[in-house]
Amino acid sequence: MPKEITRRTLIELSVAGAAALAAAEARAVDRPDLPKDQRIGFAVVGLGKLAQGQIIPGLRRSKGAKLVALVSGHRDKAERIATAEGIPADAIYNYDDYDRIAKDPRIQVVYIVLPNSMHAEYTIRALKAGKHVLCEKPMATSIADCEAMIAAAKAADRKLMIAYRCHYEPKNLAAMRKVRSGALGKPRLFVTDMGRQANVSDPSDAWRVDKKLAGSGALGDMGIYGISASRYMLNEEPVEVRAWANTDPADPRFKTVDDMIAWQFRFPSGAICNGSTSFDYNATMSFELWGEKARLRADPGAFYGGNKFQMVDGGNFTDMDVPEVDQFAREMDWMADVVRGKAPMVSPGEEGMQDMRLILAILESVAKGGAPVKTDWGYKRAVDPAAVVDVVA
């Protein structure tokens, strides 16, 4: 694992593992690729590093989706990508003429890949244009925005899915099934650490420490992976949180957002989650679950590729041998099947809003010096990923 992982190196991890990915895909049980004219058309909104490094390549590898349009404030960049991807000039949109997508029958799904504070506006405009939406996480920066996005999807009778790729990632799915099977015994303790060094000289990082654009710094960008993992691994929702922050006021990166935040969730079963996130510690995306009988270790557990999951029983470490896939292609294929009516919605807007509520509860506890904050809002996951998403598709 590299000593320093930036946003760029996270994106490039799967490129480094391309040979392993190809070998793993050869072992997978493939479903046939749909003909191009039967694939669901996606427009990508925002052409930053994630879009160029993972989402657009994922659409190339998709079996049931295809790239049909681009939305960007930089025409020259959009034209360059359009030429490379075979996208016609009339399928390039900017943010001012974005609403014209309503008249473009090629577009069925809009994938929002913008700074967090822009998610609500462009999601709602896409829904009003009659398009389904796949939106990056965190879903938004406020509960009000989350509620407005969910309401807009219902009013338009369109699908709204939040891009929780780990819900569809084979190793995470296999681990969920291990937990559900009782292989670990009763889950007792979940520990997660998600963070890296933020580099504000990189424009793709600079907005992530700007509260107006990001909302919550490392907590929403990296910590959300640990928050979500604790919930989908334990298959229950926290009822209380306590949290603390430690931020160097002299560090120019943290003028508007906290740096390191540690939290503790209490779950109805009695399980405890200890979590942390930071934009100023050695890079990690790991979690570990202790049960009465065994332990499950994921280090890393949420990279774009190369995740390593192990079952630990005493001194015995057993790797979970599960094929790698292109996580973004698989996520978009699932969305395409949802649109076709061939798959259930696993990560709806309500799922994104639950994580947003928990992020805000963590920040509330931080503001109160670590005082407990109740989080038992009655939310229940509509669909368990482990029950409906195949480990290998």
Side-chain angles (χ1 to χ4, degrees), residues 312-323:
V312 185
D313 185 0
N316 298 317
F317 292 74
T318 305
D319 289 342
M320 295 177 63
D321 185 20
V322 181

Side-chain angles (χ1 to χ4, degrees), residues 130-381:
K131 309 304 180 181
H132 305 281
V133 174
L134 176 59
C135 179
E136 266 302 322
K137 60 189 178 302
M139 179 179 179
T141 57
S142 72
I143 300 304
D145 278 353
C146 293
E147 290 174 337
M149 294 161 76
I150 292 168
K154 290 179 179 177
D157 192 25
R158 300 287 90 183
K159 304 296 185 182
L160 170 59
M161 176 171 149
I162 310 304
Y164 285 102
R165 58 185 168 80
C166 291
H167 288 176
Y168 311 94
E169 194 274 321
K171 293 180 182 179
N172 275 275
L173 286 163
M176 289 183 229
R177 292 185 177 186
K178 283 282 189 185
V179 177
R180 309 289 191 273
S181 74
L184 280 71
K186 182 180 179 181
R188 300 303 312 281
L189 177 66
F190 188 92
V191 176
T192 175
D193 301 291
M194 301 278 180
R196 60 184 175 87
Q197 288 288 339
N199 177 13
V200 294
S201 65
D202 184 337
S204 71
D205 257 7
W207 71 263
R208 297 174 197 279
V209 293
D210 182 338
K211 187 174 183 178
K212 289 183 180 179
L213 293 174
S216 58
L219 184 61
D221 190 69
M222 301 293 287
I224 191 171
Y225 286 96
I227 293 169
S228 180
S230 70
R231 297 174 48 241
Y232 65 68
M233 284 296 167
L234 294 170
N235 200 27
E236 56 178 336
E237 300 300 324
V239 295
E240 185 178 79
V241 63
R242 298 184 68 192
W244 305 264
N246 190 328
T247 303
D248 180 357
D251 192 322
R253 294 176 295 179
F254 307 117
K255 293 179 180 179
T256 62
V257 296
D258 284 310
D259 169 28
M260 187 172 71
I261 295 179
W263 67 90
Q264 186 173 77
F265 286 148
R266 181 169 61 83
F267 287 86
S269 67
I272 297 293
C273 166
N274 292 327
S276 80
T277 189
S278 175
F279 269 154
D280 189 32
Y281 65 35
N282 188 251
T284 180
M285 295 189 82
S286 64
F287 60 81
E288 210 155 353
L289 174 56
W290 278 261
E292 292 174 320
K293 299 190 297 185
R295 173 165 50 110
L296 188 151
R297 180 182 182 186
D299 189 6
F303 279 177
Y304 298 157
N307 293 314
K308 184 175 182 179
F309 282 66
Q310 295 177 314
M311 288 292 292
V312 185
D313 185 0
N316 298 317
F317 292 74
T318 305
D319 289 342
M320 295 177 63
D321 185 20
V322 181
E324 292 271 358
V325 300
D326 184 308
Q327 296 176 37
F328 290 85
R330 192 161 203 232
E331 176 184 71
M332 290 183 284
D333 277 337
W334 191 271
M335 178 63 175
D337 279 348
V338 168
V339 170
R340 293 189 188 94
K342 294 185 176 181
M345 177 64 81
V346 173
S347 46
E350 290 79 2
E351 179 68 13
M353 185 163 67
Q354 175 70 352
D355 275 343
M356 192 71 248
R357 282 175 169 159
L358 291 168
I359 286 170
L360 294 176
I362 288 170
L363 294 175
E364 180 183 348
S365 180
V366 167
K368 294 178 177 179
V373 173
K374 299 296 183 184
T375 61
D376 189 5
W377 302 298
Y379 176 75
K380 185 176 181 180
R381 190 186 297 272

Side-chain angles (χ1 to χ4, degrees), residues 55-135:
I55 292 168
I56 292 173
L59 282 163
R60 287 189 217 120
R61 300 184 186 109
S62 170
K63 300 177 181 183
K66 60 184 178 181
L67 179 66
V68 298
L70 302 169
V71 182
S72 175
H74 301 278
R75 181 76 188 190
D76 54 345
K77 177 165 60 174
E79 288 179 345
R80 173 177 53 79
I81 295 171
T83 298
E85 300 298 327
I87 303 299
D90 69 344
I92 299 174
Y93 297 86
N94 60 50
Y95 299 123
D96 292 330
D97 69 2
Y98 177 66
D99 299 311
R100 287 196 305 109
I101 64 173
K103 298 180 180 180
D104 193 335
R106 295 168 293 192
I107 302 171
Q108 292 160 282
V109 175
V110 172
Y111 194 155
I112 307 295
V113 201
L114 296 166
N116 307 337
S117 65
M118 301 171 71
H119 288 181
E121 177 186 350
Y122 287 91
T123 290
I124 292 169
R125 287 170 67 180
L127 292 165
K128 287 182 176 179
K131 309 304 180 181
H132 305 281
V133 174
L134 176 59
C135 179

